Amino acid sequence: MREPVELRRQRIMAVVESRGAVKVSVLAAELDVSVVTVRRDVEELTRAGRLRRGHGVARPLREPAAAAAVPAPRGGEPAGEGGAVALVVPERHSYLYETLHGARSVLEEAGIRIALHIAPQSAGAERPLVERALADGARGLLIAPRWRNERSEELDYGWLADVGVPTVLMERRPRPGSALHALDSVCSDHWYGTHLAVEHLVALGHRRIVLAARDDSPTARSVRAAFAGIAAGRPEVEDWTVVLSSPDAVPGPGPDEPGPAPDAPPVSSAHAPDLDLAALLRERGATAAVLHGDVDALMLVQRLAESGVQVPRDCSVVAYDDVVAALGSTPLTAVAPPKAEIGRAAAELLLHRLSGAAGATGAAGPVRRTQLLPELKVRGSARAITPTTD
């Protein structure tokens, strides 16, 4: 599916504001679009007063904090890379770019320089980036691994547990009892976010609800599991089902990704290669849908309109993520995880660990597994109905 223009421009802003001046050709390569497209985006962002344009480069309105402002590491080592915190996020992931911005604001205020690393879409891409950052002297790590499937997640457990510097996971919650269970983490409470979506629809009188969701990230898997449990436990919900929101939303393998574990549950036959949501709504007699993530939600709403199904007249919709949900021709009511706040809280926790209360290993204290609650942004894509009775 083609990426919305505003989403692509948000990604350009995220890279430029994190790194400083970036060549247009580099942005084009990282975003997998043409140089002409990026040049046009940079010109529009400059006209809007969001960037500065130079000869072949895009510049932030305010340059990132200079390395000279970074406090030297403890132990008398030279500052250089040793004063930096490594921040690792997946490429082409606007949701986590908002988290990145939150972390950046806290670290810059503390005078800490960020060494940003964008992990490509390949299996194990984060490990060499972290190893490179550690070799350069990074003294802390904020990381949001892609973890397209459970096997790729488990393959990271061993090395990530032994990086040797204070580390905080962002928007990731490792499997209970795993090697990373006792690693600091800050994430959204996606069960609560899913509860908000279902509760909103049930309160409006909807009794048959479809979840069209991705299945290629920890967030996607949390939303799917939460919806199944919540819908099954609500006596008001007469019928529910879960399907893939996009044909490319499967958990793996992606490029160079390990396949599913031998004992992993198979993908349901209900997961059609191209979801005909209008037909599914008719088949199930459903009046409402929860759609994850935003881009898939906007595309599915467009397809509903092409099939003669209008939102919210014929189908109420709640999106999940709220990155671009408000930008559609029909602004979508959406569950909004506290993306920037996740980054801020993770950075604050890392600063606590780096405070030096326990020497080189960082501040003492129990491991923290923090959850922040999403909120529901009501925009009118869901309407009240009168439930039918026999």
Side-chain angles (χ1 to χ4, degrees):
M1 287 186 273
R2 181 177 295 177
E3 181 179 52
V5 173
E6 183 58 29
L7 180 56
R8 185 177 65 243
R9 290 176 182 171
Q10 286 183 14
R11 292 167 54 204
I12 291 173
M13 290 290 298
V15 174
V16 173
E17 289 184 357
S18 297
R19 302 184 198 172
V22 182
K23 290 183 178 180
V24 169
S25 58
V26 171
L27 288 168
E30 291 192 8
L31 273 62
D32 195 24
V33 296
S34 70
V35 171
V36 172
T37 296
V38 173
R39 187 178 296 123
R40 187 184 306 119
D41 287 338
V42 170
E43 289 173 354
E44 289 298 322
L45 289 168
T46 300
R47 272 195 285 271
R50 299 168 67 186
L51 286 181
R52 293 184 296 134
R53 182 164 59 94
H55 183 65
V57 300
R59 301 179 183 278
L61 295 178
R62 182 172 67 89
E63 294 294 338
V70 178
R74 305 188 79 76
E77 299 175 8
E81 287 293 325
V85 161
L87 204 161
V88 182
V89 295
E91 69 169 331
R92 302 203 304 218
H93 205 305
S94 56
Y95 179 108
L96 289 172
Y97 285 175
E98 291 194 36
T99 302
L100 180 159
H101 280 305
R104 173 176 174 260
S105 65
V106 170
L107 293 172
E108 285 189 348
E109 184 177 347
I112 302 292
R113 189 168 67 80
I114 297 171
L116 176 64
H117 299 269
I118 307 294
Q121 298 187 61
S122 57
E126 289 85 3
R127 183 172 185 174
L129 296 179
V130 171
E131 290 175 347
R132 186 183 313 156
L134 295 175
D136 288 338
R139 54 175 172 151
L141 173 64
L142 293 173
I143 184 169
R146 186 178 298 276
W147 286 350
R148 281 174 53 90
N149 55 47
E150 292 181 357
R151 283 193 71 194
S152 65
E153 177 179 337
E154 291 172 358
L155 289 173
D156 283 344
Y157 283 172
W159 69 266
L160 194 50
D162 296 323
V163 295
V165 298
T167 299
V168 180
L169 287 171
M170 301 186 300
E171 203 59 289
R172 299 292 182 254
R173 183 55 53 87
R175 176 173 51 78
S178 70
L180 296 186
H181 186 104
L183 188 69
D184 286 325
S185 63
V186 180
C187 68
S188 301
D189 185 341
H190 293 299
W191 183 95
Y192 183 75
T194 308
H195 162 77
L196 289 177
V198 174
E199 182 68 24
H200 183 62
L201 293 171
V202 168
L204 292 173
H206 297 279
R207 299 296 180 258
R208 293 174 171 267
I209 305 172
V210 169
L211 172 70
R214 303 188 68 84
D215 193 25
D216 57 357
S217 73
T219 295
R221 293 189 286 275
S222 294
V223 169
R224 293 165 67 89
F227 178 84
I230 292 167
R234 290 295 298 258
E236 303 96 326
V237 178
E238 299 171 0
D239 184 80
W240 60 273
T241 189
V242 177
V243 294
L244 282 178
S245 58
S246 169
D248 65 354
V250 294
D256 304 318
E257 285 282 346
D263 57 349
V267 176
S268 167
S269 59
H271 297 166
D274 289 292
L275 175 62
D276 186 342
L277 184 56
L280 179 63
L281 293 171
R282 289 192 295 269
E283 175 189 338
R284 310 291 300 210
T287 59
V290 180
L291 306 178
H292 171 262
D294 276 12
V295 173
D296 292 342
L298 292 175
M299 295 294 290
L300 288 170
V301 169
Q302 289 175 200
R303 291 177 190 169
L304 286 176
E306 292 166 0
S307 299
V309 178
Q310 295 298 317
V311 174
R313 184 194 68 192
D314 306 310
C315 175
S316 290
V317 166
V318 176
Y320 199 103
D321 276 356
D322 200 37
V323 177
V324 293
L327 303 180
S329 55
T330 300
L332 302 181
T333 291
V335 174
K339 298 174 281 292
E341 288 79 4
I342 291 292
R344 283 192 283 269
E348 288 168 356
L349 177 52
L350 185 63
L351 289 178
H352 170 69
R353 296 302 183 202
L354 291 171
S355 66
T361 59
V367 171
R368 301 183 184 182
R369 293 165 60 85
T370 304
Q371 288 195 115
L372 304 184
L373 300 187
E375 60 179 319
L376 186 71
K377 301 288 185 67
V378 177
R379 301 192 178 100
S381 63
R383 70 178 185 92
I385 63 170
T386 303
T388 59
T389 57
D390 294 334

